[in-house]
Amino acid sequence: RGQPQSHDEL
Amino acid sequence: MNVFRLAGDMTHLLSIIILLLKIRATKSCTGISLKTQELYVIVFLTRYLDLFTKYISFYNTTMKLVFLGTSISIVWYMRYHKVVKQTYNKDQDTFRHYFLAIPCFLLALLIHHEFTVIEVLWTFSIYLEAVAILPQLVLLQRSRNIDNLTGNYVFLLGAYRALYLVNWVYRYFTENHLVRWIPWLSGLVQTTLYADFFYYYIKSWKNNEKLQLPA
């Protein structure tokens, strides 16, 4: 599942 | 940003501040696992690689710098400060934390969202954070008496990820059911590892007695 994860959390 | 995530971040920040206060005020790190602190530095370093390449918000960047700075300074105090390092329970803090890091890294190589350096290392940091508390919990079981600051530190550390779980539930329902299996399952494992500590911590708080973990 190549969902580019937007790492907006810490 | 939602209130659960903000509460989680503030709880996490508070736990680190309590630990720094304990070390600086008492010039002692008795009962604190250096292994766990070193794992946290690795967690933050591998998680915040995009600190300078991806700007999310002032809050996000500031908190990342604070978490990196405080976790590195805690390891510095425990390793190099002439007074504090004498109080480190070297002979009790024997957990082989590389036994934790290596499987997490291999797992990140196998299970991730996309196979890029940033993403695999980010995934590694998620898996590693889930188990990073183990050396600390083992040390607490070996320590005869756990001082209040250390107990509060571990409690808040466990509570922050529990609040993140609530944040993920909230985001699932408010952000068109976006699924994030990796942090969700890791966060669940992480919080579950604190279960028995939470039980004894709340029991000691209710009965107003010294916190003691069964050996």
Side-chain angles (χ1 to χ4, degrees):
Chain A
R1 289 176 311 253
Q3 279 172 321
Q5 292 294 314
S6 70
H7 304 321
D8 61 349
E9 294 175 341
L10 292 171
Chain B
M1 171 64 80
N2 61 65
V3 65
F4 306 111
R5 179 148 71 100
L6 184 62
D9 290 341
M10 292 304 109
T11 304
H12 193 186
L13 181 63
L14 185 59
S15 74
I16 294 173
I17 288 171
I18 282 183
L19 180 54
L20 258 178
L21 278 180
K22 167 194 161 67
I23 291 175
R24 288 176 55 93
T26 66
K27 286 285 179 282
S28 160
C29 64
T30 307
I32 303 298
S33 164
L34 175 59
K35 314 267 173 146
T36 286
Q37 298 309 315
E38 288 172 348
L39 289 177
Y40 281 142
V41 169
I42 297 169
V43 164
F44 290 136
L45 287 175
T46 51
R47 186 171 303 176
Y48 301 155
L49 287 172
D50 55 359
L51 175 62
F52 300 111
T53 56
K54 224 168 89 179
Y55 179 79
I56 304 234
S57 68
F58 177 73
Y59 170 83
N60 190 273
T61 303
T62 310
M63 290 298 279
K64 284 176 178 175
L65 290 170
V66 167
F67 284 162
L68 277 167
T70 48
S71 58
I72 289 168
S73 63
I74 285 166
V75 169
W76 180 85
Y77 266 107
M78 294 185 70
R79 273 186 171 278
Y80 305 112
H81 187 280
K82 58 190 180 309
V83 177
V84 173
K85 75 180 182 183
Q86 313 294 339
T87 64
Y88 168 49
N89 312 104
K90 189 175 179 55
D91 49 354
Q92 285 182 314
D93 190 20
T94 56
F95 200 103
R96 283 177 179 65
H97 48 329
Y98 297 113
F99 282 14
L100 288 173
I102 293 165
C104 289
F105 185 69
L106 295 177
L107 189 63
L109 284 175
L110 290 174
I111 304 173
H112 43 260
H113 280 300
E114 57 178 337
F115 197 68
T116 61
V117 171
I118 294 265
E119 189 66 25
V120 168
L121 287 178
W122 177 85
T123 309
F124 164 65
S125 82
I126 292 289
Y127 295 149
L128 187 61
E129 187 190 356
V131 294
I133 195 63
L134 283 173
Q136 179 62 64
L137 292 177
V138 166
L139 184 62
L140 286 184
Q141 282 182 334
R142 292 179 181 164
S143 317
R144 286 281 43 88
N145 63 332
I146 302 165
D147 66 76
N148 289 342
L149 282 173
T150 305
N152 295 338
Y153 163 68
V154 175
F155 177 77
L156 290 167
L157 206 47
Y160 119 78
R161 211 60 177 173
L163 286 164
Y164 254 70
L165 290 174
V166 178
N167 149 63
W168 288 324
V169 170
Y170 177 86
R171 292 189 76 173
Y172 175 76
F173 289 110
T174 55
E175 290 173 28
N176 57 36
H177 297 187
L178 187 66
V179 172
R180 293 186 176 94
W181 285 122
I182 290 177
W184 290 359
L185 294 180
S186 298
L188 214 52
V189 166
Q190 181 169 338
T191 307
T192 310
L193 288 177
Y194 285 82
D196 73 330
F197 173 83
F198 281 151
Y199 171 75
Y200 290 107
Y201 180 87
I202 291 164
K203 196 164 76 104
S204 79
W205 177 70
K206 266 193 191 150
N207 308 345
N208 202 5
E209 64 196 11
K210 200 78 183 140
L211 175 59
Q212 186 75 40
L213 293 187

